[in-house]
Amino acid sequence: MELRDKGFGKSGLGQKFLRWVNLRPEESERTFLMFAFYTTTSIGLVWLEASTIALFLQAYGAEEGLPWIYIASAGIGSGLGVLFTQLQRFLPLHRVIVMTAILMAAPLLLFWLGLGLPEDLELWQFSLPAVTIFLMRLWLEAIYVLNDLNTSITANQLFNIREIKRTYPLISSGILVADVISGFSLNWMIALVGGLKNIVLLAFLMLAIGAVILFYLSRAYRQAFPDFLRRQVEERQPDYVNRRLKGPLRRYVILLFTFFILAQVLFLLIDFRFLSDLQTNRSDEQIAGFLGLFSGILGVFELAMQWLASSRVIERVGVFTAAMTLPGVISVLGALAMAIAGFSWESALFSSLVMLKFLDELLHYTLFASVGPVLFQPIPDALRSNIQSNVRGVAEPLSTGATGIVLLGLVALDGLYWLLPAILFLALVWVVIIWLLRAKYVGLLVMSAERGQLSADVDLVELKRAVVEALEQAGTEAHKSSCIELLSQLDPKNVGEVLAPMLAKLPPSLQRKSLEEMLAYPNPAYLDQVRALIDQSPPPDVLAVVLRYIWLTDTQPDIRQLRPYLKPEVDPIVRGTAASLMLRRGNPTQKAEATNTLRLMLTHQQERERVMGCRALGEAVYLQALRLYIPNLLQDGSLRVRCALLEAIAATRLEEFYPSLLRGLYYKSTRQAAMKALVRLENEAIPLLVELAADKHKPDLVQMYAWQAIGQIGTIQAVDVLISHLMTAWGTSRRNILRILLEMPGETGIESVLERLGRSGIERLIDQEILFMGQLYAALLDILPGQVPGREADLLRRAMRDMQTDAEERLFSLMKFLYPISAIKAASFNLQSNSPSNRARGLEILDNTLDIPSKRALLSLLDQRPDRDKVQSLSDLMTYERMTPSDRLRRLLDLRHFQSDWALACCFHLARQARWSLTADQTLSCLRHPRGFVREAVLGYLKMASPRALVRLLPMLKNDPDPLVADQVKQIIQEFAKKTSSTTQQPAKRGNNNVINFPNTPGFETI
């Protein structure tokens, strides 16, 4: 079964709904099933939590029982995580997740039976119902850990890294929906089933329904779960990754640990204080009803906050301002509760604690949950996952246990009155920690941006502020230059707002860079700051950019002020800029004066004068008679002049010289300048580049650079062209297009392919490659060395092995569109090894990563197994029928459009050597092949198979563009002429009219 939707989103209403929730049709079924599983399970958990807390407070009380629960639960999270990992050593993952769901539900039946036992039955001087209640409360902590772990792992298997960004927010909101449903229904359910004891049975039923849904998911999407047992695999990281925490990174991680530990400790202290007062203000039945109503109201606010406000608040105020909201609210309400407690107003104190608990949970599960993952972004990828698991899986459970020990000590010393002051103090410390984190966070992010590792999930508000601070402080020019680039990427339209006031303080190199970034979106508001630079006598390169900014931005420029810059003694870069500006905005007289200046520069003997003149042409709009000099400049002896002229042609849109840009791709010296010029033309250059890239008669290298230029253009039209040709191209062209799409910045190529082709389109391309590899393995089985010996057969077999390698490379490229590139690279790296253990590791990585329908067949092809076993593994995709070697060769030629040029030539060499007949269609189509060595092989075959047909074809081949083919044709004509003359001198034997004693291939007589 394919990992795609089968029925969701086919109607117009369904499509609108999917767009509203930001889902694609092919992932909708999995998403809604996961949402149903998580919601159903969470409803049972909320019912269980409310009833368990009510029974626990009645039996043990908050002050005496809860600290022990906190201490006991400290090891539950890490212990269950280890157990979950160990289970995968002995069972496949799809069984582990279902067993975990059953394990969560099964003890609830025993608890339900235990609650019905008589009170006089004792265990360790405790009644069995009381022991059952304690175990229920402890198991509740375990269930939450198991449920979150099971949900996240299942989601990570069902969705790839790009899908989960869209789907997991909807799935995770299931617990918020469960809060609303279960909270408002709990009082009604207690009345319906007759007490808290039977609520446990209802919770069991809901968890069982969730297990059934999960079982269906594991069966319906079996290919998403690996069959191999998970082993401990050492991850290979790039050499540049620093595995040790040093300097600023170490300090940041320490603060990060403190941040999450304080969050957990405060959450527990507030929960403990809230439940303590709840116990004194409500009876056990009232506690359950109150908690249900509390959860329902809280769930409504959490849903509204998470769906409507959280992302907008973080985007508007920044990550750290949003993070300070929670400790700020705790500080204010904690101080208020302390003041109320001082006056002994019990009812008012309880109300304030309810409000404190309400806002703490509301902000904890919305803003705090959204902010948390962003704080890990400055950590390098190689360390991030490990640190995140240590923070959430080790530090938080340990802090829970430590909190329980402290609470036990306070209870023993009768010091619980210190609880509210401790909450206030820790909240203020938390604010300080957030402030320190903010300073370290932005510094590390700037360092990440300099290394090109900046993630799209960072807080742009904080990062922009950090860039401004870095420019104002002392530092190297290289560091500040990277900050300017980063600022222009974050906010290109308003970059002048930051850079203009700082221009006078920056060194010349940064002044030029800042002005160039500001020129992308010039604003007259900054003209005064830019004009002030002229008084500082800046270097010529800075002065040229200043002139451009002033006279291109000013709405009423005084062009006469540019005349002094046209004098011969002025530096060429300034003179050329002034002349180009006068050509743009001057009157006829001024344009004539500027034209004469540029004419002198373009014909000057010094190379720098001509180079600057050509650059000035690119900045001018009105060239007048200057275009007359372009043909001569294209033949200029200076490479710098020719490259500058190519850029000028693109800048001024001189269509009659566009062929010169394309010709520039043929030569290494001008290739980069030509590509830069073509990219500058954007959509205007796409038809020219497509025509060049799709022309099979052009050199492969030129075709590759044409595709690269289209990729660098990067517009919607350019990406659409690449994707449309991806579906029809094959071999080298498909490989080049895949690489270009994968390397496009910001994963725009990947997202565009998924948007247009969808997951199903990528899977079809993968199946194409698998089927082609199957045909190659079938050919290797039918053309065995023992059956078809000889050098030509060996060359064909080697060519087919090379085509298999190329197909594997394309397969790995296609997989990168669906799965994390790092995982696919790691698998590819290990599969290229000669070590059996490394190859096994690579297959295991793929087995744990892939979820495509043809995963089993793909893994079999990549494994080191006999060719026959590989063909048998493709039985679901293709049927293998044994053929004679000659029939298999003709079958390969039927697939000639998918073969490499060399393999095609080898087919004809083998047919000539083995004297096998081929069809006329196969031979004639390959005789028109763009590669000369293929045509040469076809001529050799025709010379043997059908000389009479070849005689009629030779006159059309005498002028072949390939000199080797032309020489071959000439030689064959001479040979035929000698044979003809010798035949006329000797009487022909009766019954032997052919030139050679070999039957003509059927079909050639009609040529």
Side-chain angles (χ1 to χ4, degrees), residues 1-4 223 759 763 767 819 851-857 877:
M1 182 179 296
E2 295 187 6
L3 200 59
R4 296 198 293 270
Q223 67 273 18
R759 181 189 179 92
E763 289 177 356
D767 289 344
Y819 308 104
D851 55 9
I852 57 177
S854 53
K855 179 172 78 171
R856 299 266 69 85
L877 298 175

Side-chain angles (χ1 to χ4, degrees), residues 942 946-953 976 993-995 1000 1004-1005:
L942 275 176
S946 186
R948 287 184 298 179
L950 182 58
V951 168
R952 292 192 290 271
L953 291 171
F976 280 1
N993 296 325
N994 286 333
V995 176
N1000 282 325
F1004 279 101
E1005 290 77 3

Side-chain angles (χ1 to χ4, degrees), residues 156-209:
N156 281 326
Q157 290 298 133
L158 286 171
F159 305 98
N160 61 50
I161 190 65
R162 296 172 185 88
E163 292 173 337
I164 208 166
K165 292 180 181 179
R166 292 185 300 272
T167 59
Y168 201 72
L170 180 61
I171 295 170
S172 61
S173 65
I175 192 170
L176 305 182
V177 176
D179 281 340
V180 176
I181 296 175
S182 57
F184 287 120
S185 64
L186 184 58
N187 285 326
W188 177 72
M189 296 302 297
I190 292 174
L192 180 66
V193 300
L196 294 176
K197 170 191 169 184
N198 292 328
I199 292 295
V200 178
L201 184 60
L202 284 179
F204 164 78
L205 292 176
M206 297 304 293
L207 264 65
I209 293 173

Side-chain angles (χ1 to χ4, degrees), residues 737-892:
I737 294 174
L738 287 171
R739 286 179 178 176
I740 291 164
L741 288 168
L742 288 169
E743 292 171 359
M744 294 184 75
E747 295 190 347
T748 55
I750 296 175
E751 292 298 332
S752 299
V753 170
L754 291 174
E755 187 70 30
R756 178 164 170 176
L757 302 183
R759 181 189 179 92
S760 58
I762 300 295
E763 289 177 356
R764 282 195 296 271
L765 294 178
I766 291 175
D767 289 344
Q768 282 182 9
E769 300 287 352
I770 293 175
L771 287 171
F772 178 64
M773 292 181 69
Q775 293 292 337
L776 294 177
Y777 281 113
L780 289 169
L781 288 178
D782 291 341
I783 309 179
L784 294 171
Q787 294 177 327
V788 186
R791 177 172 173 269
E792 289 79 3
D794 291 338
L795 288 175
L796 177 59
R797 284 187 284 266
R798 190 183 307 168
M800 287 192 287
R801 295 293 183 187
D802 291 339
M803 285 192 291
Q804 289 171 358
T805 303
D806 293 340
E808 288 181 10
E809 182 181 355
R810 295 192 296 270
L811 276 173
F812 280 107
S813 296
L814 287 168
M815 285 187 277
K816 291 175 184 177
F817 286 89
L818 298 178
Y819 308 104
I821 293 179
S822 58
I824 302 302
K825 283 184 176 179
S828 175
F829 175 82
N830 283 281
L831 286 169
Q832 291 172 6
S833 172
N834 293 323
S835 167
S837 61
N838 286 346
R839 293 189 63 85
R841 182 182 293 115
L843 291 173
E844 184 176 352
I845 293 172
L846 288 180
D847 187 35
N848 286 276
T849 303
L850 303 184
D851 55 9
I852 57 177
S854 53
K855 179 172 78 171
R856 299 266 69 85
L858 176 58
L859 294 179
S860 299
L861 290 178
L862 297 176
D863 198 0
Q864 284 187 330
R865 301 168 61 184
D867 293 347
R868 190 171 299 279
D869 292 348
K870 293 184 178 183
V871 172
Q872 291 175 355
S873 68
L874 300 177
S875 57
D876 293 338
L877 298 175
M878 59 172 282
T879 302
Y880 168 67
E881 296 180 358
R882 185 168 182 82
M883 297 181 183
T884 63
S886 59
D887 287 341
R888 180 58 69 180
L889 186 72
R890 285 189 285 272
R891 174 62 176 159
L892 284 176

Side-chain angles (χ1 to χ4, degrees), residues 44 59 67 110 130 259 280 329 334 357 457 526 599 761 764 914:
L110 299 177
F259 174 86
T280 60
V329 168
K357 175 65 175 175
D457 298 327
Y526 313 129
R599 180 182 61 79
R764 282 195 296 271

Side-chain angles (χ1 to χ4, degrees), residues 123-405:
L123 180 67
W124 300 314
Q125 298 181 349
F126 291 97
S127 67
L128 282 179
V131 173
T132 301
I133 291 171
F134 186 86
L135 293 177
M136 281 175 57
R137 183 66 181 85
L138 199 58
W139 186 243
L140 180 66
E141 298 289 330
I143 289 180
Y144 272 115
V145 173
L146 286 175
N147 190 41
D148 289 342
L149 190 62
N150 218 26
T151 302
S152 61
I153 289 179
T154 305
N156 281 326
Q157 290 298 133
L158 286 171
F159 305 98
N160 61 50
I161 190 65
R162 296 172 185 88
E163 292 173 337
I164 208 166
K165 292 180 181 179
R166 292 185 300 272
T167 59
Y168 201 72
L170 180 61
I171 295 170
S172 61
S173 65
I175 192 170
L176 305 182
V177 176
D179 281 340
V180 176
I181 296 175
S182 57
F184 287 120
S185 64
L186 184 58
N187 285 326
W188 177 72
M189 296 302 297
I190 292 174
L192 180 66
V193 300
L196 294 176
K197 170 191 169 184
N198 292 328
I199 292 295
V200 178
L201 184 60
L202 284 179
F204 164 78
L205 292 176
M206 297 304 293
L207 264 65
I209 293 173
V212 171
I213 296 174
L214 196 58
F215 174 76
Y216 171 77
L217 270 168
S218 68
R219 300 302 300 176
Y221 300 100
R222 177 67 179 273
Q223 67 273 18
F225 302 93
D227 288 334
F228 291 166
L229 301 181
R230 189 184 297 272
R231 300 191 298 268
Q232 294 294 327
V233 180
E234 180 183 357
E235 296 183 358
R236 297 178 179 268
Q237 300 293 348
D239 294 336
Y240 61 81
V241 174
N242 187 0
R243 293 173 179 268
R244 298 181 60 189
L245 297 177
K246 295 181 179 180
L249 184 58
R250 175 188 289 274
R251 291 190 287 271
Y252 181 80
V253 171
I254 292 173
L255 290 172
L256 200 61
F257 269 84
T258 309
F259 174 86
F260 284 99
I261 288 173
L262 285 174
Q264 183 69 7
V265 170
L266 278 169
F267 185 81
L268 294 174
L269 292 180
I270 293 171
D271 181 67
F272 178 84
R273 192 69 173 84
F274 167 73
L275 292 178
S276 297
D277 276 45
L278 180 63
Q279 179 188 0
T280 60
N281 285 273
R282 297 287 189 277
S283 64
D284 56 336
E285 293 287 344
Q286 290 176 333
I287 288 175
F290 178 84
L291 288 176
L293 185 62
F294 181 86
S295 296
I297 298 173
L298 178 62
V300 172
F301 279 86
E302 284 177 338
L303 273 176
M305 184 79 174
Q306 189 70 359
W307 287 357
L308 302 177
S310 291
S311 60
R312 293 179 174 87
V313 169
I314 293 173
E315 184 178 356
R316 182 176 295 272
V317 304
V319 166
F320 289 95
T321 303
M324 288 182 184
T325 304
L326 179 55
V329 168
I330 293 175
S331 301
V332 173
L333 292 179
L336 178 63
M338 285 179 57
I340 294 174
F343 290 99
S344 301
W345 295 339
E346 293 298 329
S347 60
L349 177 61
F350 179 69
S351 299
S352 65
L353 290 174
V354 170
M355 181 60 66
L356 177 60
K357 175 65 175 175
F358 182 89
L359 291 177
D360 179 46
E361 288 219 15
L362 173 64
L363 297 175
H364 190 94
Y365 290 108
T366 54
L367 279 183
F368 178 80
S370 300
V371 163
V374 180
L375 297 179
F376 291 93
Q377 289 301 319
I379 301 174
D381 293 342
L383 301 171
R384 186 183 305 151
S385 177
N386 185 39
I387 292 175
Q388 194 166 1
S389 61
N390 285 332
V391 169
R392 309 309 296 266
V394 177
E396 288 185 356
L398 290 179
S399 63
T400 300
T403 303
I405 294 174

Side-chain angles (χ1 to χ4, degrees), residues 426-690:
L426 290 177
L428 294 175
V429 172
W430 196 8
V431 172
V432 175
I433 293 297
I434 294 173
W435 184 81
L436 294 174
L437 261 178
R438 177 181 180 177
K440 303 296 181 185
Y441 171 89
V442 292
L444 289 175
L445 279 180
V446 171
M447 292 171 58
S448 299
E450 291 176 351
R451 295 192 300 265
Q453 301 170 356
L454 186 63
S455 170
D457 298 327
V458 301
D459 179 22
L460 297 183
V461 176
E462 298 297 335
L463 189 52
K464 182 179 177 181
R465 183 188 62 80
V467 170
V468 176
E469 290 181 357
L471 290 173
E472 292 177 344
Q473 297 172 357
T476 63
E477 288 192 17
H479 178 74
K480 292 186 176 183
S481 177
S482 64
C483 289
I484 293 173
E485 288 183 6
L486 185 58
L487 185 62
S488 65
Q489 294 174 11
L490 299 179
D491 193 10
K493 293 184 179 180
N494 300 314
V495 69
E497 181 182 347
V498 176
L499 297 178
M502 308 173 63
L503 285 174
K505 305 176 184 178
L506 296 174
S509 60
L510 296 182
Q511 286 178 341
R512 178 183 177 182
K513 189 171 190 63
S514 300
L515 287 168
E516 288 174 345
E517 299 295 346
M518 291 168 61
L519 265 172
Y521 294 93
N523 191 332
Y526 313 129
L527 279 173
D528 291 339
Q529 291 98 325
V530 177
R531 280 198 181 98
L533 294 178
I534 298 179
D535 299 332
Q536 298 181 358
S537 300
D541 57 341
V542 177
L543 179 58
V545 186
V546 169
L547 295 179
R548 272 210 327 252
Y549 190 93
I550 294 174
W551 271 271
L552 290 178
T553 308
D554 197 345
T555 55
Q556 296 180 344
D558 186 2
I559 300 299
R560 292 173 298 177
Q561 296 181 9
L562 290 173
R563 275 206 175 112
Y565 299 109
L566 298 182
K567 296 178 180 179
E569 60 270 17
V570 175
D571 190 276
I573 188 172
V574 178
R575 193 180 342 130
T577 300
S580 65
L581 290 171
M582 291 184 73
L583 280 177
R584 276 175 176 256
R585 312 194 66 175
N587 56 39
T589 303
Q590 293 167 339
K591 288 180 179 179
E593 188 176 355
T595 300
N596 185 58
T597 299
L598 287 180
R599 180 182 61 79
L600 295 175
M601 294 180 68
L602 294 174
T603 57
H604 203 281
Q605 292 183 353
Q606 292 185 6
E607 180 193 49
R608 189 166 185 267
E609 291 277 349
R610 300 197 303 278
V611 169
M612 294 306 167
C614 290
R615 291 182 181 177
L617 285 181
E619 298 171 5
V621 175
Y622 184 68
L623 295 184
Q624 291 183 346
L626 292 174
R627 67 178 64 218
L628 298 176
Y629 297 94
I630 292 179
N632 290 332
L633 291 170
L634 286 171
Q635 306 297 324
D636 196 280
S638 168
L639 175 62
R640 293 179 60 202
V641 172
R642 297 198 304 272
C643 291
L645 187 60
L646 293 178
E647 296 179 13
I649 290 172
T652 53
R653 300 297 198 270
L654 295 176
E655 297 184 11
E656 64 267 33
F657 296 106
Y658 285 176
S660 299
L661 301 182
L662 298 177
R663 283 195 298 272
L665 295 177
Y666 285 80
Y667 308 103
K668 183 178 180 181
S669 58
T670 57
R671 187 169 291 140
Q672 292 303 319
M675 286 190 64
K676 183 178 179 181
L678 289 164
V679 171
R680 187 169 184 174
L681 290 176
E682 295 188 334
N683 293 339
E684 194 174 351
I686 291 177
L688 303 173
L689 289 168
V690 169

